[in-house]
Short mmCIF file of all heavy atoms in Angstrom, two decimals:
data_model
loop_
_atom_site.label_atom_id
_atom_site.label_comp_id
_atom_site.label_asym_id
_atom_site.label_seq_id
_atom_site.Cartn_x
_atom_site.Cartn_y
_atom_site.Cartn_z
N GLY A 305 6.55 -16.90 -10.04
CA GLY A 305 6.33 -16.32 -11.39
C GLY A 305 7.63 -16.00 -12.10
O GLY A 305 7.61 -15.38 -13.20
N GLN A 306 8.77 -16.47 -11.59
CA GLN A 306 10.07 -16.03 -12.21
C GLN A 306 10.83 -17.22 -12.82
O GLN A 306 12.08 -17.27 -12.69
CB GLN A 306 10.95 -15.31 -11.11
CG GLN A 306 10.26 -14.16 -10.42
CD GLN A 306 9.70 -13.13 -11.42
OE1 GLN A 306 10.37 -12.64 -12.28
NE2 GLN A 306 8.41 -12.82 -11.35
N GLU A 307 10.13 -18.18 -13.36
CA GLU A 307 10.80 -19.31 -14.05
C GLU A 307 11.73 -18.81 -15.11
O GLU A 307 11.36 -17.84 -15.85
CB GLU A 307 9.76 -20.24 -14.63
CG GLU A 307 8.95 -21.02 -13.62
CD GLU A 307 7.82 -20.16 -13.06
OE1 GLU A 307 7.45 -19.21 -13.68
OE2 GLU A 307 7.37 -20.53 -11.88
N PHE A 308 12.83 -19.43 -15.27
CA PHE A 308 13.74 -18.98 -16.36
C PHE A 308 13.09 -19.23 -17.78
O PHE A 308 12.27 -19.99 -17.95
CB PHE A 308 15.14 -19.63 -16.26
CG PHE A 308 15.16 -21.13 -16.49
CD1 PHE A 308 15.13 -21.66 -17.74
CD2 PHE A 308 15.30 -21.96 -15.36
CE1 PHE A 308 15.17 -23.06 -17.93
CE2 PHE A 308 15.35 -23.32 -15.55
CZ PHE A 308 15.23 -23.86 -16.78
N GLU A 309 13.59 -18.41 -18.69
CA GLU A 309 13.00 -18.39 -20.06
C GLU A 309 13.41 -19.68 -20.81
O GLU A 309 14.56 -19.99 -20.85
CB GLU A 309 13.48 -17.12 -20.74
CG GLU A 309 12.70 -16.77 -21.97
CD GLU A 309 13.30 -17.40 -23.18
OE1 GLU A 309 14.55 -17.44 -23.28
OE2 GLU A 309 12.51 -17.86 -24.05
N PRO A 310 12.45 -20.44 -21.34
CA PRO A 310 12.78 -21.77 -21.81
C PRO A 310 13.63 -21.84 -23.05
O PRO A 310 14.33 -22.87 -23.26
CB PRO A 310 11.36 -22.41 -22.10
CG PRO A 310 10.44 -21.24 -22.23
CD PRO A 310 10.98 -20.15 -21.37
N VAL A 311 13.58 -20.84 -23.90
CA VAL A 311 14.36 -20.93 -25.16
C VAL A 311 15.89 -20.73 -24.89
O VAL A 311 16.69 -21.54 -25.30
CB VAL A 311 13.89 -19.88 -26.21
CG1 VAL A 311 14.73 -19.89 -27.47
CG2 VAL A 311 12.40 -20.15 -26.60
N THR A 312 16.25 -19.67 -24.15
CA THR A 312 17.64 -19.34 -23.93
C THR A 312 18.15 -19.76 -22.57
O THR A 312 19.34 -19.75 -22.31
CB THR A 312 17.91 -17.87 -24.10
OG1 THR A 312 17.15 -17.21 -23.09
CG2 THR A 312 17.49 -17.34 -25.51
N GLY A 313 17.20 -19.97 -21.64
CA GLY A 313 17.61 -20.17 -20.24
C GLY A 313 17.83 -18.89 -19.48
O GLY A 313 18.32 -18.93 -18.39
N ALA A 314 17.52 -17.76 -20.13
CA ALA A 314 17.70 -16.46 -19.46
C ALA A 314 17.09 -16.55 -17.99
O ALA A 314 15.90 -16.87 -17.82
CB ALA A 314 17.05 -15.29 -20.18
N VAL A 315 17.92 -16.24 -17.02
CA VAL A 315 17.44 -16.37 -15.64
C VAL A 315 16.42 -15.30 -15.22
O VAL A 315 15.48 -15.52 -14.48
CB VAL A 315 18.69 -16.26 -14.65
CG1 VAL A 315 18.28 -16.12 -13.20
CG2 VAL A 315 19.56 -17.51 -14.83
N VAL A 316 16.58 -14.11 -15.84
CA VAL A 316 15.59 -13.06 -15.65
C VAL A 316 14.60 -13.12 -16.84
O VAL A 316 15.02 -13.03 -17.97
CB VAL A 316 16.27 -11.63 -15.61
CG1 VAL A 316 15.23 -10.58 -15.52
CG2 VAL A 316 17.26 -11.56 -14.45
N PRO A 317 13.30 -13.33 -16.54
CA PRO A 317 12.31 -13.39 -17.58
C PRO A 317 12.41 -12.12 -18.44
O PRO A 317 12.48 -11.01 -17.93
CB PRO A 317 10.97 -13.46 -16.88
CG PRO A 317 11.26 -14.00 -15.49
CD PRO A 317 12.69 -13.48 -15.22
N PRO A 318 12.47 -12.30 -19.82
CA PRO A 318 12.66 -11.11 -20.65
C PRO A 318 11.47 -10.13 -20.60
O PRO A 318 10.33 -10.46 -20.21
CB PRO A 318 12.80 -11.71 -22.05
CG PRO A 318 12.46 -13.13 -21.91
CD PRO A 318 12.35 -13.54 -20.55
N LEU A 319 11.79 -8.91 -21.01
CA LEU A 319 10.76 -7.83 -21.01
C LEU A 319 10.06 -7.86 -22.40
O LEU A 319 10.68 -7.64 -23.43
CB LEU A 319 11.57 -6.51 -20.84
CG LEU A 319 10.86 -5.39 -20.10
CD1 LEU A 319 11.79 -4.24 -19.95
CD2 LEU A 319 9.58 -4.95 -20.69
N HIS A 320 8.81 -8.13 -22.40
CA HIS A 320 8.03 -8.24 -23.63
C HIS A 320 7.29 -7.00 -23.93
O HIS A 320 6.33 -6.67 -23.26
CB HIS A 320 7.00 -9.42 -23.53
CG HIS A 320 7.65 -10.80 -23.49
ND1 HIS A 320 7.78 -11.56 -24.60
CD2 HIS A 320 8.15 -11.47 -22.47
CE1 HIS A 320 8.38 -12.69 -24.28
NE2 HIS A 320 8.63 -12.66 -22.99
N PHE A 321 7.70 -6.28 -24.98
CA PHE A 321 7.03 -5.06 -25.35
C PHE A 321 5.94 -5.26 -26.36
O PHE A 321 5.14 -4.31 -26.59
CB PHE A 321 8.03 -4.00 -25.92
CG PHE A 321 8.81 -3.33 -24.83
CD1 PHE A 321 10.22 -3.54 -24.70
CD2 PHE A 321 8.25 -2.44 -24.01
CE1 PHE A 321 10.96 -2.90 -23.74
CE2 PHE A 321 8.96 -1.84 -22.98
CZ PHE A 321 10.32 -2.03 -22.91
N SER A 322 5.88 -6.38 -27.02
CA SER A 322 4.95 -6.58 -28.12
C SER A 322 3.55 -6.32 -27.69
O SER A 322 3.08 -6.80 -26.67
CB SER A 322 5.06 -7.96 -28.70
OG SER A 322 4.35 -8.02 -29.97
N SER A 323 2.80 -5.51 -28.52
CA SER A 323 1.37 -5.21 -28.11
C SER A 323 0.44 -6.27 -28.68
O SER A 323 -0.69 -6.43 -28.29
CB SER A 323 0.93 -3.87 -28.66
OG SER A 323 1.10 -3.84 -30.10
N THR A 324 0.98 -7.12 -29.63
CA THR A 324 0.10 -8.15 -30.21
C THR A 324 0.86 -9.37 -30.55
O THR A 324 2.08 -9.41 -30.54
CB THR A 324 -0.64 -7.54 -31.46
OG1 THR A 324 -1.66 -8.50 -31.88
CG2 THR A 324 0.32 -7.25 -32.61
N TYR A 325 0.15 -10.48 -30.79
CA TYR A 325 0.77 -11.79 -30.94
C TYR A 325 0.28 -12.51 -32.17
O TYR A 325 -0.94 -12.47 -32.45
CB TYR A 325 0.43 -12.63 -29.69
CG TYR A 325 0.87 -11.93 -28.41
CD1 TYR A 325 0.03 -11.03 -27.81
CD2 TYR A 325 2.18 -12.12 -27.95
CE1 TYR A 325 0.50 -10.35 -26.66
CE2 TYR A 325 2.63 -11.41 -26.78
CZ TYR A 325 1.77 -10.51 -26.20
OH TYR A 325 2.22 -9.88 -25.11
N ALA A 326 1.19 -13.04 -32.92
CA ALA A 326 0.85 -13.79 -34.19
C ALA A 326 -0.05 -15.00 -33.84
O ALA A 326 0.12 -15.70 -32.85
CB ALA A 326 2.08 -14.29 -34.84
N GLN A 327 -1.05 -15.19 -34.75
CA GLN A 327 -1.96 -16.34 -34.55
C GLN A 327 -1.72 -17.36 -35.59
O GLN A 327 -1.47 -17.00 -36.78
CB GLN A 327 -3.37 -15.82 -34.68
CG GLN A 327 -3.73 -14.73 -33.63
CD GLN A 327 -5.22 -14.40 -33.50
OE1 GLN A 327 -6.04 -15.09 -34.06
NE2 GLN A 327 -5.48 -13.32 -32.79
N ASP A 328 -1.72 -18.61 -35.20
CA ASP A 328 -1.47 -19.72 -36.13
C ASP A 328 -2.88 -20.07 -36.76
O ASP A 328 -3.52 -21.05 -36.35
CB ASP A 328 -0.97 -20.98 -35.44
CG ASP A 328 0.46 -20.66 -34.85
OD1 ASP A 328 1.20 -19.88 -35.51
OD2 ASP A 328 0.72 -21.04 -33.68
N GLY A 329 -3.30 -19.30 -37.67
CA GLY A 329 -4.67 -19.47 -38.22
C GLY A 329 -5.60 -18.61 -37.32
O GLY A 329 -5.28 -18.32 -36.18
N ILE A 330 -6.84 -18.38 -37.83
CA ILE A 330 -7.78 -17.56 -37.08
C ILE A 330 -8.15 -18.28 -35.72
O ILE A 330 -8.59 -19.41 -35.71
CB ILE A 330 -9.04 -17.28 -37.91
CG1 ILE A 330 -8.58 -16.38 -39.09
CG2 ILE A 330 -10.14 -16.61 -37.11
CD1 ILE A 330 -9.67 -16.21 -40.17
N GLY A 331 -7.94 -17.60 -34.66
CA GLY A 331 -8.28 -18.11 -33.39
C GLY A 331 -7.14 -18.99 -32.79
O GLY A 331 -7.23 -19.59 -31.70
N GLY A 332 -6.05 -19.16 -33.56
CA GLY A 332 -4.92 -20.07 -33.16
C GLY A 332 -3.93 -19.30 -32.26
O GLY A 332 -2.84 -18.93 -32.73
N LEU A 333 -4.28 -19.08 -31.04
CA LEU A 333 -3.40 -18.33 -30.08
C LEU A 333 -2.31 -19.22 -29.55
O LEU A 333 -2.49 -20.42 -29.35
CB LEU A 333 -4.23 -17.76 -28.93
CG LEU A 333 -5.44 -16.91 -29.26
CD1 LEU A 333 -6.09 -16.37 -28.03
CD2 LEU A 333 -5.10 -15.79 -30.28
#
Side-chain angles (χ1 to χ4, degrees):
Q306 308 304 307
E307 290 78 23
F308 64 79
E309 195 271 321
V311 177
T312 62
V315 168
V316 176
L319 214 177
H320 291 263
F321 281 113
S322 191
S323 61
T324 190
Y325 303 88
Q327 303 191 9
D328 298 321
I330 294 169
L333 306 183

